[in-house]
Amino acid sequence: MNLKEFEGLDLLEQYGILSPKRKIFSKEEIVDLSIFISDKLVIKAQTLTKKRSKSGFVKILPKEEVEKEISSMIGKNFKGEKIEQVLVEEYIPHNHEYYLSFIFDSLSKSPVLIISKEGGIDIEEINEIKSRNITILPINPLEGISLNEAKLIAKKAGFAEEDIISRFIISAYSCFTSSDSVMLEINPFIIHKDKILALDANIHLDDSALIRHKFNFPDRIGSREASEREKAARDIDREDHHGTAGKTYIDLEGDIAVLASGGGASLTVMDALISYGGKPANYTEYSGNPPAEKVEKLTKITLSKENLSGCFVIGGTANFTDIYETLKGFLNGLNSIHPKPRYPIVIRRAGPRDKEAYDMVKRYADENKLDIHLFDENTPLTYPAKIIVELSKRYKEKNGHIN
Amino acid sequence: MAILINEQTKILVQGITGSQASKTVKEMLDYGSKVICGVTPGKGGGKIEGIPVYDSIKDALKEHKVDASLISVPPLKVIDAAFEAIDAGIKLIVIITESVPIHDSAKIIAYSKDKGSIIIGPSSVGIISPGKSKIGPIGGFKKAFNQGCVGIISKSGGMASETALLLSQNAIGQSTVIGIGGDRILGSSFADLLILFEEDDSTQAVVIFGEVGGKYEQEISEIINKKLFTKPVIAFISGNFVEKLPTVALGHAGAIIESKENTRESKIKSLKQAGVIVAEVYHEIPALVKRALKI
């Protein structure tokens, strides 16, 4: 889960990493800037999407112009994200900006430290920065970083201020590990009166580890706040840990509801669906043999969207997900939708108890006069994507859909 | 022959009394796998599917000799379970639990390197050497897997089976199929396993099911260029769709895209340069395998 800058700065502060005096403003607040002493202030839109400065969402202005700028920034859109908070901070004059981050590297299978005297650059992945003056060091997670090692790193990276840089490295690593971050980036940091100040923070927390912390951050999907449907879907997994259903649910703008199974299969199928001209209404995936009840809940959430023109239930050949149980969950979910869907439903599943499951679905479709099309493992995984796109198109033509 | 597991492999299951684990154990026994003991702290003395349960690995090893461990415990308990198995000197550890915190995975992997154990996973669906043995839930759909000469390595568990089925439908059997999991850091990468497949006489080619995210293709290219792997590799990379969504973790945490140079297109280019045969469309894989093997 991504954190906004001010949330990241707050977190860093708990580990002794300082930043300039700051205050956060949202819509209804009276702008009181009396805590600030400098004539100029920095105004920064708080977004989950990064690289905002190039779009004019980071400004340095005289104190008297700040209030106007705050009200102008709030409510604006940045790459599809609505700006709801603005951070105002003391302006600290500085000549140099430096860079530090910790991230997991799939090659060394360990955390790596990235540090550079050339901060302010746009980096998030190691391979983009090879050619620059940057030090990258894998860290043994069993040992962490000792003060001596940190000093050597600071020296190697070309810093004359070994003592303060080494303590800063250790504090940042401590924040990275103790908060279970997947990535922690401080870009830039500056040295001001022999102290290090973080001028930004980009922290991604590990969703899998949130359960062992008491953070108070709002629920998010990537770079935006989660929708009601997305929150409801994620709650399914939080309430019951058997298999997954709903952990990844993302609202999209199309009209074909998708209930996919398996991470890899679902992505392969989404690619196919889009390549055939289909517009998915959502992405979601269940796997690991979830009980029928969980699939039922996920089905209800997925089919609660209006103006659907099709439903696509798709998965690879399951290793152990009980097809009968999961399709029973799907039918139970379908049963609670009123009025009954008239749009086409394409199902392609294979795995344990698939024959029994298909008999059940056929009976249900006949009894309820539903337009269900069944495919088994003899149809390649990606082919039914073409079918649902064609059926959905025909459905829309017949029913006078606008899109 | 096969890699990692065969009909002789003696398997211990950690978390054997869990509902999913006991189901998996039954399937493994049905398949002919030698599951010989299990561990669940506090439940020692009982039996699951006729298999004795112990409180600790140490207790189990007093009675049994073990080659491999399957870990199926809740996510936050994986780290202790894995350290226990590594300390006990078990050389192959398959972690099927999903949502293991990444800091825990990194520690497990570092510790296994120090002590010389192989970790598969986390989030692995398991390993199957068709007709010989399987460890983990992989192969629940038996007819997908048939003995033969092609290895499969897949991040996705579902696609491991799907790809085996696709090959089987085209009369191509498999030597060993491994689900390595889709996390950002993996106990065993594609490259680690390719090196094992190189040594295996029964494997003539390897199919890779990859995803965007991570830098595994760089590693694959490297070992091919260094001639550490010399057999044909046929790869498919999924994830066009993910690239349209900014920084959102989908089915697998590993598919997080954080770099322009980490796109599907750049991965494919890098693999092709190393001589890997890349399938543009998923169902092309069998034809490409046949062409590579001249069958």
PDB file of all heavy atoms in Angstrom, chain A residues 178-209:
ATOM      1  N   SER A 178      11.167  -2.195  10.301  1.00  0.00           N
ATOM      2  CA  SER A 178      10.172  -2.231  11.378  1.00  0.00           C
ATOM      3  C   SER A 178       8.764  -1.965  10.873  1.00  0.00           C
ATOM      4  O   SER A 178       7.798  -2.412  11.474  1.00  0.00           O
ATOM      5  CB  SER A 178      10.502  -1.197  12.447  1.00  0.00           C
ATOM      6  OG  SER A 178      11.806  -1.389  12.896  1.00  0.00           O
ATOM      7  N   SER A 179       8.635  -1.212   9.776  1.00  0.00           N
ATOM      8  CA  SER A 179       7.297  -0.920   9.272  1.00  0.00           C
ATOM      9  C   SER A 179       6.890  -1.928   8.191  1.00  0.00           C
ATOM     10  O   SER A 179       5.814  -1.824   7.619  1.00  0.00           O
ATOM     11  CB  SER A 179       7.253   0.494   8.690  1.00  0.00           C
ATOM     12  OG  SER A 179       8.123   0.588   7.585  1.00  0.00           O
ATOM     13  N   ASP A 180       7.757  -2.921   7.911  1.00  0.00           N
ATOM     14  CA  ASP A 180       7.490  -3.892   6.846  1.00  0.00           C
ATOM     15  C   ASP A 180       7.214  -3.177   5.519  1.00  0.00           C
ATOM     16  O   ASP A 180       6.194  -3.415   4.868  1.00  0.00           O
ATOM     17  CB  ASP A 180       6.300  -4.791   7.195  1.00  0.00           C
ATOM     18  CG  ASP A 180       6.730  -6.040   7.956  1.00  0.00           C
ATOM     19  OD1 ASP A 180       7.590  -6.765   7.443  1.00  0.00           O
ATOM     20  OD2 ASP A 180       6.193  -6.279   9.058  1.00  0.00           O
ATOM     21  N   SER A 181       8.117  -2.305   5.114  1.00  0.00           N
ATOM     22  CA  SER A 181       7.950  -1.619   3.835  1.00  0.00           C
ATOM     23  C   SER A 181       8.507  -2.461   2.698  1.00  0.00           C
ATOM     24  O   SER A 181       9.493  -3.170   2.868  1.00  0.00           O
ATOM     25  CB  SER A 181       8.695  -0.284   3.840  1.00  0.00           C
ATOM     26  OG  SER A 181       8.121   0.573   4.783  1.00  0.00           O
ATOM     27  N   VAL A 182       7.863  -2.371   1.562  1.00  0.00           N
ATOM     28  CA  VAL A 182       8.365  -3.009   0.352  1.00  0.00           C
ATOM     29  C   VAL A 182       9.371  -2.058  -0.308  1.00  0.00           C
ATOM     30  O   VAL A 182      10.335  -2.465  -0.933  1.00  0.00           O
ATOM     31  CB  VAL A 182       7.209  -3.322  -0.614  1.00  0.00           C
ATOM     32  CG1 VAL A 182       7.724  -3.884  -1.921  1.00  0.00           C
ATOM     33  CG2 VAL A 182       6.230  -4.268   0.041  1.00  0.00           C
ATOM     34  N   MET A 183       9.105  -0.764  -0.145  1.00  0.00           N
ATOM     35  CA  MET A 183      10.021   0.240  -0.645  1.00  0.00           C
ATOM     36  C   MET A 183       9.969   1.477   0.240  1.00  0.00           C
ATOM     37  O   MET A 183       8.891   1.860   0.700  1.00  0.00           O
ATOM     38  CB  MET A 183       9.675   0.656  -2.074  1.00  0.00           C
ATOM     39  CG  MET A 183      10.710   1.607  -2.631  1.00  0.00           C
ATOM     40  SD  MET A 183      10.237   2.396  -4.180  1.00  0.00           S
ATOM     41  CE  MET A 183       9.106   3.619  -3.606  1.00  0.00           C
ATOM     42  N   LEU A 184      11.136   2.046   0.481  1.00  0.00           N
ATOM     43  CA  LEU A 184      11.208   3.290   1.240  1.00  0.00           C
ATOM     44  C   LEU A 184      12.169   4.196   0.489  1.00  0.00           C
ATOM     45  O   LEU A 184      13.312   3.831   0.249  1.00  0.00           O
ATOM     46  CB  LEU A 184      11.712   3.007   2.659  1.00  0.00           C
ATOM     47  CG  LEU A 184      11.857   4.202   3.607  1.00  0.00           C
ATOM     48  CD1 LEU A 184      11.631   3.753   5.050  1.00  0.00           C
ATOM     49  CD2 LEU A 184      13.215   4.872   3.497  1.00  0.00           C
ATOM     50  N   GLU A 185      11.686   5.357   0.086  1.00  0.00           N
ATOM     51  CA  GLU A 185      12.525   6.252  -0.703  1.00  0.00           C
ATOM     52  C   GLU A 185      12.475   7.660  -0.122  1.00  0.00           C
ATOM     53  O   GLU A 185      11.387   8.175   0.125  1.00  0.00           O
ATOM     54  CB  GLU A 185      12.023   6.268  -2.150  1.00  0.00           C
ATOM     55  CG  GLU A 185      12.870   7.100  -3.089  1.00  0.00           C
ATOM     56  CD  GLU A 185      12.321   7.064  -4.513  1.00  0.00           C
ATOM     57  OE1 GLU A 185      11.163   7.500  -4.712  1.00  0.00           O
ATOM     58  OE2 GLU A 185      13.023   6.576  -5.403  1.00  0.00           O
ATOM     59  N   ILE A 186      13.650   8.228   0.098  1.00  0.00           N
ATOM     60  CA  ILE A 186      13.728   9.612   0.575  1.00  0.00           C
ATOM     61  C   ILE A 186      14.470  10.386  -0.508  1.00  0.00           C
ATOM     62  O   ILE A 186      15.684  10.274  -0.657  1.00  0.00           O
ATOM     63  CB  ILE A 186      14.459   9.712   1.926  1.00  0.00           C
ATOM     64  CG1 ILE A 186      13.759   8.816   2.970  1.00  0.00           C
ATOM     65  CG2 ILE A 186      14.488  11.171   2.402  1.00  0.00           C
ATOM     66  CD1 ILE A 186      14.492   8.702   4.292  1.00  0.00           C
ATOM     67  N   ASN A 187      13.708  11.123  -1.263  1.00  0.00           N
ATOM     68  CA  ASN A 187      14.272  11.807  -2.425  1.00  0.00           C
ATOM     69  C   ASN A 187      13.593  13.154  -2.620  1.00  0.00           C
ATOM     70  O   ASN A 187      12.465  13.186  -3.076  1.00  0.00           O
ATOM     71  CB  ASN A 187      14.091  10.944  -3.670  1.00  0.00           C
ATOM     72  CG  ASN A 187      14.716  11.591  -4.891  1.00  0.00           C
ATOM     73  OD1 ASN A 187      15.731  12.262  -4.775  1.00  0.00           O
ATOM     74  ND2 ASN A 187      14.102  11.404  -6.036  1.00  0.00           N
ATOM     75  N   PRO A 188      14.269  14.242  -2.278  1.00  0.00           N
ATOM     76  CA  PRO A 188      15.655  14.267  -1.799  1.00  0.00           C
ATOM     77  C   PRO A 188      15.736  14.396  -0.290  1.00  0.00           C
ATOM     78  O   PRO A 188      14.746  14.625   0.379  1.00  0.00           O
ATOM     79  CB  PRO A 188      16.167  15.559  -2.430  1.00  0.00           C
ATOM     80  CG  PRO A 188      14.956  16.468  -2.407  1.00  0.00           C
ATOM     81  CD  PRO A 188      13.752  15.567  -2.566  1.00  0.00           C
ATOM     82  N   PHE A 189      16.976  14.227   0.200  1.00  0.00           N
ATOM     83  CA  PHE A 189      17.255  14.692   1.558  1.00  0.00           C
ATOM     84  C   PHE A 189      18.369  15.724   1.454  1.00  0.00           C
ATOM     85  O   PHE A 189      19.106  15.754   0.463  1.00  0.00           O
ATOM     86  CB  PHE A 189      17.603  13.532   2.501  1.00  0.00           C
ATOM     87  CG  PHE A 189      18.908  12.828   2.249  1.00  0.00           C
ATOM     88  CD1 PHE A 189      20.107  13.301   2.784  1.00  0.00           C
ATOM     89  CD2 PHE A 189      18.945  11.657   1.494  1.00  0.00           C
ATOM     90  CE1 PHE A 189      21.307  12.627   2.572  1.00  0.00           C
ATOM     91  CE2 PHE A 189      20.141  10.987   1.275  1.00  0.00           C
ATOM     92  CZ  PHE A 189      21.334  11.478   1.812  1.00  0.00           C
ATOM     93  N   ILE A 190      18.436  16.595   2.468  1.00  0.00           N
ATOM     94  CA  ILE A 190      19.462  17.642   2.433  1.00  0.00           C
ATOM     95  C   ILE A 190      20.207  17.658   3.765  1.00  0.00           C
ATOM     96  O   ILE A 190      19.740  17.067   4.742  1.00  0.00           O
ATOM     97  CB  ILE A 190      18.847  19.046   2.178  1.00  0.00           C
ATOM     98  CG1 ILE A 190      17.806  19.378   3.260  1.00  0.00           C
ATOM     99  CG2 ILE A 190      18.214  19.117   0.796  1.00  0.00           C
ATOM    100  CD1 ILE A 190      17.366  20.840   3.261  1.00  0.00           C
ATOM    101  N   ILE A 191      21.364  18.298   3.754  1.00  0.00           N
ATOM    102  CA  ILE A 191      22.095  18.477   5.013  1.00  0.00           C
ATOM    103  C   ILE A 191      22.008  19.962   5.359  1.00  0.00           C
ATOM    104  O   ILE A 191      22.426  20.825   4.588  1.00  0.00           O
ATOM    105  CB  ILE A 191      23.561  18.028   4.892  1.00  0.00           C
ATOM    106  CG1 ILE A 191      23.602  16.547   4.493  1.00  0.00           C
ATOM    107  CG2 ILE A 191      24.303  18.243   6.219  1.00  0.00           C
ATOM    108  CD1 ILE A 191      24.978  16.001   4.213  1.00  0.00           C
ATOM    109  N   HIS A 192      21.385  20.233   6.514  1.00  0.00           N
ATOM    110  CA  HIS A 192      21.152  21.616   6.927  1.00  0.00           C
ATOM    111  C   HIS A 192      21.636  21.782   8.362  1.00  0.00           C
ATOM    112  O   HIS A 192      21.138  21.105   9.261  1.00  0.00           O
ATOM    113  CB  HIS A 192      19.647  21.916   6.814  1.00  0.00           C
ATOM    114  CG  HIS A 192      19.280  23.287   7.263  1.00  0.00           C
ATOM    115  ND1 HIS A 192      19.634  24.413   6.574  1.00  0.00           N
ATOM    116  CD2 HIS A 192      18.587  23.706   8.357  1.00  0.00           C
ATOM    117  CE1 HIS A 192      19.168  25.476   7.205  1.00  0.00           C
ATOM    118  NE2 HIS A 192      18.536  25.073   8.295  1.00  0.00           N
ATOM    119  N   LYS A 193      22.602  22.646   8.561  1.00  0.00           N
ATOM    120  CA  LYS A 193      23.178  22.878   9.897  1.00  0.00           C
ATOM    121  C   LYS A 193      23.551  21.554  10.574  1.00  0.00           C
ATOM    122  O   LYS A 193      23.124  21.266  11.701  1.00  0.00           O
ATOM    123  CB  LYS A 193      22.192  23.661  10.774  1.00  0.00           C
ATOM    124  CG  LYS A 193      21.949  25.083  10.278  1.00  0.00           C
ATOM    125  CD  LYS A 193      21.030  25.823  11.226  1.00  0.00           C
ATOM    126  CE  LYS A 193      20.762  27.229  10.708  1.00  0.00           C
ATOM    127  NZ  LYS A 193      19.596  27.841  11.347  1.00  0.00           N
ATOM    128  N   ASP A 194      24.299  20.720   9.841  1.00  0.00           N
ATOM    129  CA  ASP A 194      24.774  19.433  10.362  1.00  0.00           C
ATOM    130  C   ASP A 194      23.661  18.442  10.721  1.00  0.00           C
ATOM    131  O   ASP A 194      23.872  17.498  11.479  1.00  0.00           O
ATOM    132  CB  ASP A 194      25.678  19.633  11.587  1.00  0.00           C
ATOM    133  CG  ASP A 194      26.985  20.271  11.183  1.00  0.00           C
ATOM    134  OD1 ASP A 194      27.382  20.088  10.007  1.00  0.00           O
ATOM    135  OD2 ASP A 194      27.593  20.967  12.023  1.00  0.00           O
ATOM    136  N   LYS A 195      22.477  18.691  10.184  1.00  0.00           N
ATOM    137  CA  LYS A 195      21.391  17.731  10.404  1.00  0.00           C
ATOM    138  C   LYS A 195      20.821  17.326   9.062  1.00  0.00           C
ATOM    139  O   LYS A 195      20.799  18.121   8.119  1.00  0.00           O
ATOM    140  CB  LYS A 195      20.284  18.382  11.233  1.00  0.00           C
ATOM    141  CG  LYS A 195      20.559  18.408  12.710  1.00  0.00           C
ATOM    142  CD  LYS A 195      19.247  18.605  13.478  1.00  0.00           C
ATOM    143  CE  LYS A 195      19.481  18.654  14.963  1.00  0.00           C
ATOM    144  NZ  LYS A 195      19.578  20.036  15.478  1.00  0.00           N
ATOM    145  N   ILE A 196      20.335  16.097   9.010  1.00  0.00           N
ATOM    146  CA  ILE A 196      19.712  15.660   7.770  1.00  0.00           C
ATOM    147  C   ILE A 196      18.216  15.937   7.835  1.00  0.00           C
ATOM    148  O   ILE A 196      17.567  15.678   8.849  1.00  0.00           O
ATOM    149  CB  ILE A 196      19.992  14.165   7.530  1.00  0.00           C
ATOM    150  CG1 ILE A 196      21.462  14.025   7.127  1.00  0.00           C
ATOM    151  CG2 ILE A 196      19.068  13.591   6.451  1.00  0.00           C
ATOM    152  CD1 ILE A 196      21.909  12.633   6.889  1.00  0.00           C
ATOM    153  N   LEU A 197      17.683  16.467   6.743  1.00  0.00           N
ATOM    154  CA  LEU A 197      16.243  16.700   6.654  1.00  0.00           C
ATOM    155  C   LEU A 197      15.695  15.980   5.421  1.00  0.00           C
ATOM    156  O   LEU A 197      16.259  16.098   4.327  1.00  0.00           O
ATOM    157  CB  LEU A 197      15.950  18.200   6.532  1.00  0.00           C
ATOM    158  CG  LEU A 197      16.283  19.077   7.739  1.00  0.00           C
ATOM    159  CD1 LEU A 197      16.035  20.543   7.396  1.00  0.00           C
ATOM    160  CD2 LEU A 197      15.447  18.666   8.958  1.00  0.00           C
ATOM    161  N   ALA A 198      14.612  15.253   5.615  1.00  0.00           N
ATOM    162  CA  ALA A 198      13.954  14.588   4.476  1.00  0.00           C
ATOM    163  C   ALA A 198      12.992  15.593   3.851  1.00  0.00           C
ATOM    164  O   ALA A 198      12.151  16.158   4.540  1.00  0.00           O
ATOM    165  CB  ALA A 198      13.198  13.362   4.962  1.00  0.00           C
ATOM    166  N   LEU A 199      13.118  15.808   2.542  1.00  0.00           N
ATOM    167  CA  LEU A 199      12.210  16.756   1.876  1.00  0.00           C
ATOM    168  C   LEU A 199      11.086  16.043   1.124  1.00  0.00           C
ATOM    169  O   LEU A 199      10.267  16.683   0.472  1.00  0.00           O
ATOM    170  CB  LEU A 199      12.979  17.665   0.915  1.00  0.00           C
ATOM    171  CG  LEU A 199      14.037  18.597   1.527  1.00  0.00           C
ATOM    172  CD1 LEU A 199      14.499  19.630   0.510  1.00  0.00           C
ATOM    173  CD2 LEU A 199      13.518  19.299   2.779  1.00  0.00           C
ATOM    174  N   ASP A 200      11.081  14.741   1.167  1.00  0.00           N
ATOM    175  CA  ASP A 200       9.980  13.972   0.568  1.00  0.00           C
ATOM    176  C   ASP A 200      10.082  12.553   1.115  1.00  0.00           C
ATOM    177  O   ASP A 200      11.132  12.157   1.636  1.00  0.00           O
ATOM    178  CB  ASP A 200      10.078  13.963  -0.972  1.00  0.00           C
ATOM    179  CG  ASP A 200       8.771  13.514  -1.636  1.00  0.00           C
ATOM    180  OD1 ASP A 200       7.811  13.184  -0.906  1.00  0.00           O
ATOM    181  OD2 ASP A 200       8.712  13.480  -2.881  1.00  0.00           O
ATOM    182  N   ALA A 201       9.002  11.799   1.014  1.00  0.00           N
ATOM    183  CA  ALA A 201       9.035  10.401   1.428  1.00  0.00           C
ATOM    184  C   ALA A 201       8.088   9.620   0.547  1.00  0.00           C
ATOM    185  O   ALA A 201       6.955  10.042   0.319  1.00  0.00           O
ATOM    186  CB  ALA A 201       8.610  10.267   2.882  1.00  0.00           C
ATOM    187  N   ASN A 202       8.591   8.528   0.012  1.00  0.00           N
ATOM    188  CA  ASN A 202       7.765   7.647  -0.811  1.00  0.00           C
ATOM    189  C   ASN A 202       7.881   6.245  -0.225  1.00  0.00           C
ATOM    190  O   ASN A 202       8.901   5.582  -0.381  1.00  0.00           O
ATOM    191  CB  ASN A 202       8.274   7.703  -2.258  1.00  0.00           C
ATOM    192  CG  ASN A 202       7.421   6.880  -3.201  1.00  0.00           C
ATOM    193  OD1 ASN A 202       6.359   6.378  -2.824  1.00  0.00           O
ATOM    194  ND2 ASN A 202       7.886   6.730  -4.428  1.00  0.00           N
ATOM    195  N   ILE A 203       6.848   5.836   0.491  1.00  0.00           N
ATOM    196  CA  ILE A 203       6.904   4.548   1.190  1.00  0.00           C
ATOM    197  C   ILE A 203       5.760   3.652   0.740  1.00  0.00           C
ATOM    198  O   ILE A 203       4.615   4.095   0.651  1.00  0.00           O
ATOM    199  CB  ILE A 203       6.850   4.765   2.725  1.00  0.00           C
ATOM    200  CG1 ILE A 203       8.099   5.551   3.181  1.00  0.00           C
ATOM    201  CG2 ILE A 203       6.756   3.437   3.474  1.00  0.00           C
ATOM    202  CD1 ILE A 203       8.128   5.892   4.660  1.00  0.00           C
ATOM    203  N   HIS A 204       6.101   2.402   0.390  1.00  0.00           N
ATOM    204  CA  HIS A 204       5.080   1.397   0.080  1.00  0.00           C
ATOM    205  C   HIS A 204       5.108   0.354   1.186  1.00  0.00           C
ATOM    206  O   HIS A 204       6.123  -0.307   1.376  1.00  0.00           O
ATOM    207  CB  HIS A 204       5.381   0.688  -1.243  1.00  0.00           C
ATOM    208  CG  HIS A 204       5.270   1.563  -2.443  1.00  0.00           C
ATOM    209  ND1 HIS A 204       4.870   1.100  -3.667  1.00  0.00           N
ATOM    210  CD2 HIS A 204       5.505   2.881  -2.602  1.00  0.00           C
ATOM    211  CE1 HIS A 204       4.877   2.097  -4.531  1.00  0.00           C
ATOM    212  NE2 HIS A 204       5.265   3.189  -3.911  1.00  0.00           N
ATOM    213  N   LEU A 205       4.002   0.208   1.877  1.00  0.00           N
ATOM    214  CA  LEU A 205       3.941  -0.808   2.924  1.00  0.00           C
ATOM    215  C   LEU A 205       3.569  -2.155   2.311  1.00  0.00           C
ATOM    216  O   LEU A 205       2.913  -2.216   1.274  1.00  0.00           O
ATOM    217  CB  LEU A 205       2.898  -0.414   3.966  1.00  0.00           C
ATOM    218  CG  LEU A 205       3.128   0.918   4.685  1.00  0.00           C
ATOM    219  CD1 LEU A 205       1.943   1.234   5.591  1.00  0.00           C
ATOM    220  CD2 LEU A 205       4.423   0.880   5.492  1.00  0.00           C
ATOM    221  N   ASP A 206       3.988  -3.216   2.968  1.00  0.00           N
ATOM    222  CA  ASP A 206       3.688  -4.571   2.500  1.00  0.00           C
ATOM    223  C   ASP A 206       2.263  -4.942   2.939  1.00  0.00           C
ATOM    224  O   ASP A 206       1.982  -5.067   4.132  1.00  0.00           O
ATOM    225  CB  ASP A 206       4.709  -5.531   3.131  1.00  0.00           C
ATOM    226  CG  ASP A 206       4.558  -6.956   2.636  1.00  0.00           C
ATOM    227  OD1 ASP A 206       3.574  -7.252   1.922  1.00  0.00           O
ATOM    228  OD2 ASP A 206       5.426  -7.781   2.974  1.00  0.00           O
ATOM    229  N   ASP A 207       1.369  -5.116   1.968  1.00  0.00           N
ATOM    230  CA  ASP A 207      -0.026  -5.463   2.290  1.00  0.00           C
ATOM    231  C   ASP A 207      -0.098  -6.736   3.129  1.00  0.00           C
ATOM    232  O   ASP A 207      -0.966  -6.875   3.985  1.00  0.00           O
ATOM    233  CB  ASP A 207      -0.836  -5.666   1.005  1.00  0.00           C
ATOM    234  CG  ASP A 207      -1.055  -4.353   0.264  1.00  0.00           C
ATOM    235  OD1 ASP A 207      -1.065  -3.310   0.927  1.00  0.00           O
ATOM    236  OD2 ASP A 207      -1.198  -4.382  -0.976  1.00  0.00           O
ATOM    237  N   SER A 208       0.811  -7.677   2.852  1.00  0.00           N
ATOM    238  CA  SER A 208       0.787  -8.958   3.564  1.00  0.00           C
ATOM    239  C   SER A 208       1.162  -8.820   5.028  1.00  0.00           C
ATOM    240  O   SER A 208       0.909  -9.721   5.818  1.00  0.00           O
ATOM    241  CB  SER A 208       1.756  -9.950   2.912  1.00  0.00           C
ATOM    242  OG  SER A 208       1.395 -10.158   1.576  1.00  0.00           O
ATOM    243  N   ALA A 209       1.812  -7.717   5.379  1.00  0.00           N
ATOM    244  CA  ALA A 209       2.283  -7.563   6.760  1.00  0.00           C
ATOM    245  C   ALA A 209       1.453  -6.566   7.555  1.00  0.00           C
ATOM    246  O   ALA A 209       1.669  -6.398   8.753  1.00  0.00           O
ATOM    247  CB  ALA A 209       3.753  -7.146   6.758  1.00  0.00           C
TER     248      ALA A 209
END
